[in-house]
Amino acid sequence: MAGQEKTLCLLYCYKGENKENNMSIHSETRKYEVVVVGGGLAGVCAAIAAARKGARTAIIQNRSMFGGNASSEIRMHIVGANSHGAKKNLGETGILLEILLANKRRNPYASFPVFDSVIWEKVHFQENLESFLNTNMDDVILEGKKIKAVVCHQNSTETEYTIYGDIFVDATGHGTLATMCGATGRMGSEGRDEFKEPDAPEEPNSDTMGNTLLFSAVDRGEPVKFVCPEWANHYTEEDLKYREHANSIASHMEGGKLTKFEEGSGRLPHFSNVDSGYWWIELGGEDEDIIRDGEKIRDELLKCVYGVWDHLKNVGNHGVENLELDWVGFVPGYRESRRIEGDYLLNEKDVLANRIFPDAVAYGGWQMDQHVRRGLLDTDKIPSQILNFNGCYTIPWRCYYAKDLENVMLAGRDISTTKMAFGSTRVMGTCAVGGQAVGTAAAMAVRYGCTPQTDRGTYGRTTTGAFAG
């Protein structure tokens, strides 16, 4: 027995010998044509689109499931151009609709864990596509302005992967891949004069929209007590006077104030449910670096969630006597962080004018919103400033690649926009259709041996044609 233990110890020590990263016991090298980093809906749609166009594709995701904010870790519902039904003739189709229809058939009660498996199935069984879950990108191998490979660690297998590719897609949300390669990025608001945006602040600032932890509750059919943790916050009705927390449907007026819901008004609807909420449990927008402060923000958000639930259960009558807190997220949903600069920054004027670009590859219609910088700490303010507008706008190809890098495309909320336009482009439906366009373009770039910036005047139109076909 002692001899066996010694043999096992020596075997382990030998496998770890001379490795720079002691977390990785094994190492492998892989080569693909398109490498997507990030497995939210934008990354998923990009990877599937590239694979369907014949490119050997990999998708790298640092979580144990795909879906990003729509996964069971965060549980945000998917919204897009139709603005909760306010714009009835608008909607996202393509790969996102495939996923949603499969979920409708298999998952009638909209279970988020079941939705995880629906997305996984779409990725896992897609020809030409290989997935790497639980895999974090740790480093990049650059040659001038071109990425040659990313170096990743897969926690579940103790394996270091060096993954080479021709085209890389940054679908990380934070623009992490492009930032690691030195791409120009922005965080916060542009000043009004830079793009002549009518509703931008007069001076630029570093404010972002904050992060949110969601919760859900179940009806037990009998009264359930709630014992509030000592560390939770406490809220009065006065504290929450601008934050709807009863079962209700309303509409956002200009500026965000709620009014009676009117079918066909064109205003962004507001849905409030006591058994799942709330988007306005939000913090972190005033932090100097919302990414680096993410753990601290999460801890403070937990205090907010339990404090709001304590208010519902133990302060006044909110009709929740039989409800029990069933789930509280531990992974905050990010709304905003970095945006990577492309050859064009979509701006507020483009959105409001329903601008149609000659190199349009995607579209959006979500009403522009700008959340208050301090989130739930700004109890004296309406939590979101809404700018309702009619119709939809297009997003040009020039917003979907990093201008400083030769082979990096962008998918998701890190695309090239101002903060004002970002208030509309950030939602998952819009990110998904943009991701599909990017995946299609990535496969085309491989096929024709070109870069994302090649022939800026016509490449986007070619991509649009392939996306439609």
Side-chain angles (χ1 to χ4, degrees):
M1 189 69 177
Q4 289 178 351
E5 291 174 355
K6 184 176 182 181
T7 301
L8 290 171
C9 180
L10 289 173
L11 179 63
Y12 175 81
C13 293
Y14 175 77
K15 284 185 176 292
E17 189 177 13
N18 296 325
K19 293 196 66 62
E20 294 181 6
N21 182 358
N22 290 327
M23 286 293 291
S24 298
I25 307 303
H26 316 286
S27 63
E28 293 186 29
T29 298
R30 301 288 181 90
K31 174 69 172 74
Y32 301 92
E33 292 172 315
V34 176
V35 178
V36 179
V37 183
L41 288 178
V44 164
C45 290
I48 292 173
R52 288 181 179 178
K53 289 294 180 181
R56 298 190 311 277
T57 304
I59 182 169
I60 299 164
Q61 165 71 327
N62 62 358
R63 314 303 301 178
S64 59
M65 71 280 288
F66 297 109
N69 280 354
S71 75
S72 62
E73 285 191 311
I74 299 172
R75 306 193 182 192
M76 176 62 191
H77 56 280
I78 299 166
V79 298
N82 76 346
S83 293
H84 281 324
K87 301 178 178 182
K88 292 191 177 299
N89 293 325
L90 298 181
E92 291 75 30
T93 57
I95 294 170
L96 176 61
L97 185 58
E98 285 183 38
I99 293 170
L100 293 178
L101 288 175
N103 188 55
K104 200 78 170 176
R105 182 172 68 89
R106 295 241 308 272
N107 188 15
Y109 290 97
S111 162
F112 279 97
V114 174
F115 188 43
D116 290 341
S117 70
V118 172
I119 304 174
W120 169 85
E121 176 187 284
K122 280 289 183 183
V123 173
H124 186 73
F125 292 102
Q126 173 61 53
E127 186 179 358
N128 292 329
L129 178 56
E130 187 169 0
S131 61
F132 296 83
L133 288 170
N134 300 301
T135 303
N136 194 68
M137 176 190 63
D138 292 332
D139 203 358
V140 294
I141 299 174
L142 277 172
E143 188 176 274
K145 294 183 178 181
K146 186 174 184 178
I147 299 180
K148 303 296 289 184
V150 290
V151 183
C152 307
H153 174 77
Q154 190 172 58
N155 293 325
S156 54
T157 64
E158 300 179 320
T159 301
E160 180 184 271
Y161 286 100
T162 302
I163 299 176
Y164 287 83
D166 300 318
I167 297 292
F168 289 81
V169 177
D170 187 333
T172 61
H174 295 323
T176 305
L177 174 60
T179 300
M180 290 173 69
C181 299
T184 303
R186 296 179 175 223
M187 190 182 295
S189 296
E190 290 78 12
R192 187 173 302 165
D193 288 344
E194 184 174 1
F195 293 93
K196 307 302 180 186
E197 295 177 301
D199 294 287
E202 289 190 14
E203 299 296 329
N205 61 58
S206 61
D207 296 346
T208 64
M209 287 190 263
N211 300 343
T212 289
L213 283 180
L214 296 173
F215 70 84
S216 64
V218 294
D219 190 334
R220 298 300 186 190
E222 61 182 9
V224 180
K225 291 183 178 181
F226 176 70
V227 179
C228 186
E230 293 180 359
W231 43 261
N233 295 341
H234 296 283
Y235 299 101
T236 65
E237 281 296 323
E238 178 67 18
D239 294 330
L240 302 180
K241 64 183 178 182
Y242 292 121
R243 288 159 173 81
E244 180 60 40
H245 50 284
N247 286 324
S248 66
I249 302 176
S251 293
H252 288 280
M253 298 175 66
E254 292 300 311
K257 185 178 179 180
L258 295 180
T259 187
K260 181 180 178 182
F261 175 74
E262 293 182 23
E263 185 80 24
S265 69
R267 299 190 184 108
L268 181 68
H270 180 278
F271 302 97
S272 178
N273 300 90
V274 294
D275 61 351
S276 62
Y278 292 108
W279 63 265
W280 47 257
I281 301 179
E282 175 181 357
L283 292 175
E286 83 282 11
D287 283 46
E288 183 176 343
D289 189 336
I290 195 170
I291 303 171
R292 191 163 187 178
D293 292 340
E295 292 291 296
K296 178 189 75 174
I297 294 168
R298 187 270 324 282
D299 292 345
E300 293 303 312
L301 281 169
L302 283 169
K303 299 176 185 178
C304 296
V305 171
Y306 280 89
V308 168
W309 187 249
D310 175 59
H311 176 84
L312 291 174
K313 291 289 288 187
N314 298 325
V315 180
N317 181 15
H318 294 90
V320 297
E321 292 81 3
N322 292 357
L323 294 187
E324 181 180 38
L325 197 60
D326 179 61
W327 172 85
V328 175
F330 257 79
V331 179
Y334 272 85
R335 289 181 177 84
E336 179 181 0
S337 53
R338 298 189 193 96
R339 307 182 303 279
I340 304 301
E341 287 191 20
D343 277 329
Y344 186 80
L345 273 76
L346 189 78
N347 62 67
E348 179 189 6
K349 293 191 298 182
D350 299 326
V351 172
L352 295 180
N354 290 181
R355 186 171 177 184
I356 307 298
F357 289 90
D359 60 336
V361 295
Y363 55 89
W366 180 256
Q367 310 289 25
M368 276 191 293
D369 58 356
Q370 299 293 328
H371 294 202
V372 291
R373 63 187 296 270
R374 299 179 69 238
L376 192 49
L377 297 177
D378 279 335
T379 57
D380 61 336
K381 295 181 175 66
I382 295 171
S384 180
Q385 306 298 310
I386 303 295
L387 289 169
N388 291 304
F389 64 95
N390 295 322
C392 65
Y393 56 90
T394 63
I395 308 173
W397 172 243
R398 290 162 289 163
C399 294
Y400 285 102
Y401 56 81
K403 67 177 185 179
D404 303 318
L405 303 170
E406 292 182 10
N407 64 336
V408 177
M409 299 181 181
L410 309 170
R413 59 183 173 84
D414 60 358
I415 67 170
S416 182
T417 73
T418 66
K419 179 179 169 64
M420 289 302 301
F422 173 86
S424 178
T425 63
R426 67 183 180 85
V427 294
M428 285 186 280
T430 306
C431 291
V433 294
Q436 180 168 346
V438 165
T440 302
M444 292 173 62
V446 170
R447 183 188 308 164
Y448 297 120
C450 59
T451 67
Q453 297 90 340
T454 299
D455 194 5
R456 288 177 167 95
T458 60
Y459 186 47
R461 287 195 290 275
T462 306
T463 304
T464 305
F467 177 45

